[in-house]
Amino acid sequence: MLFIVDFDGTISVKDTIDAMLEKFADPSWQDIEQEWLDGKITAVECMARQIDMVKADHMALENFFRGIQLDASFLPFYKHATQFAKLVIASDGLDHAIKVAMRNTGWPEIPVYSNHLNFVPQGIKITYPLRKDDCTGGNGMCKCAVARSLSLDALGPIVLIGDGKSDACISGMADIVFAKGSLIKHCERNQIKHHKFQTFADVLAIIKQWPIEKLWLNEKQSSIKLA
Ligand SMILES: [Mg+2]
Ligand SMILES: [Zn+2]
């Protein structure tokens, strides 16, 4: 079993890029955001234009990333889920921001698949090492491609936990979907079965009811003694 977990708005309380723009960019970043929400520009174009508007030095940005507020109920969820499943974070945000935020919160090192943040004088640049042009979302990275490559060695169902546009394409291929935010509407519109959730405490309550011994485990995982 493989959990693909979104970061912004799912693990983090607020969207990291939005919060960073609020703090370090001209308010006109919101006009660009609206163009993206209206479907006039892709996520990649939106991010590139917004990231260019960030005016801050390295230290100020690192401090900001350390202060990113995370859902504290993620940790107990993570401890339970990783008893029987592989778990990765897949985010159309910024890899470095995610790693700094989690390290600062004292959480274990979790694999992160995301866009790449580069510091430049007085700002940042973003590159897209996991971009797939054939992905339906026009996103900076393709969560379906991450799921496809990882599920080769984590046999069994794919579970998606997410809240937004970057989760839309993978919600169609995932076996189990936990949705909040705009992902709920997407699932309803496309008749994708899903569990609604607000925090990881809700997700944990549901997965605790799963009969672990019946879950499809790969060879390595099945040798782990399950409580
Ligand atoms: Mg999100
Ligand atoms: Zn995709």
Side-chain angles (χ1 to χ4, degrees):
M1 177 173 268
L2 173 67
F3 281 81
I4 302 273
V5 186
D6 173 54
F7 184 78
D8 286 299
T10 300
I11 294 178
S12 75
V13 175
K14 283 201 211 165
D15 184 283
T16 304
I17 294 184
D18 288 358
M20 180 176 66
L21 292 165
E22 263 165 36
K23 201 167 160 83
F24 300 113
D26 184 271
S28 61
W29 69 267
Q30 289 176 12
D31 304 338
I32 301 171
E33 189 82 359
Q34 196 56 50
E35 287 182 45
W36 169 60
L37 291 170
D38 293 343
K40 290 179 188 153
I41 56 172
T42 64
V44 165
E45 192 183 344
C46 177
M47 272 189 285
R49 284 167 60 189
Q50 289 179 328
I51 293 289
D52 273 347
M53 298 172 79
V54 172
K55 299 283 174 259
D57 62 28
H58 193 138
M59 275 282 279
L61 287 164
E62 288 287 28
N63 271 331
F64 169 77
F65 297 146
R66 277 194 285 270
I68 292 171
Q69 213 192 322
L70 306 180
D71 173 358
S73 66
F74 175 78
L75 199 57
F77 153 80
Y78 171 83
K79 285 180 177 161
H80 180 78
T82 50
Q83 285 183 295
F84 59 85
K86 191 182 169 90
L87 185 149
V88 301
I89 293 170
S91 162
D92 204 13
L94 302 165
D95 56 358
H96 180 71
I98 296 169
K99 287 175 192 167
V100 170
M102 293 201 301
R103 205 176 301 140
N104 192 59
T105 311
W107 289 0
E109 198 88 8
I110 300 168
V112 172
Y113 295 85
S114 187
N115 306 314
H116 185 57
L117 178 152
N118 308 275
F119 285 99
V120 295
Q122 287 307 307
I124 52 176
K125 286 272 178 258
I126 184 170
T127 53
Y128 308 99
L130 300 172
R131 188 168 177 198
K132 291 274 178 290
D133 283 329
D134 58 347
C135 172
T136 48
N139 299 311
M141 57 91 63
C142 175
K143 298 188 184 187
C144 337
V146 170
R148 234 176 265 124
S149 67
L150 290 176
S151 61
L152 294 175
D153 52 48
L155 294 176
I158 293 171
V159 184
L160 167 70
I161 306 177
D163 78 317
K165 276 197 165 192
S166 70
D167 305 301
C169 66
I170 189 183
S171 67
M173 79 175 271
D175 300 285
I176 300 167
V177 176
F178 288 89
K180 71 173 181 177
S182 71
L183 186 62
I184 294 176
K185 272 204 193 90
H186 173 84
C187 289
E188 284 170 353
R189 227 179 288 126
N190 294 280
Q191 281 148 19
I192 296 166
K193 271 184 68 182
H194 59 284
H195 299 283
K196 294 181 181 63
F197 77 101
Q198 276 306 314
T199 71
F200 279 90
D202 306 330
V203 181
L204 178 60
I206 292 169
I207 72 170
K208 271 193 165 164
Q209 294 168 12
W210 291 354
I212 290 181
E213 66 278 10
K214 286 187 190 148
L215 294 171
W216 188 359
L217 308 169
N218 72 23
E219 276 176 25
K220 252 188 240 146
Q221 289 163 336
S222 62
S223 67
I224 297 169
K225 209 170 164 281
L226 298 166

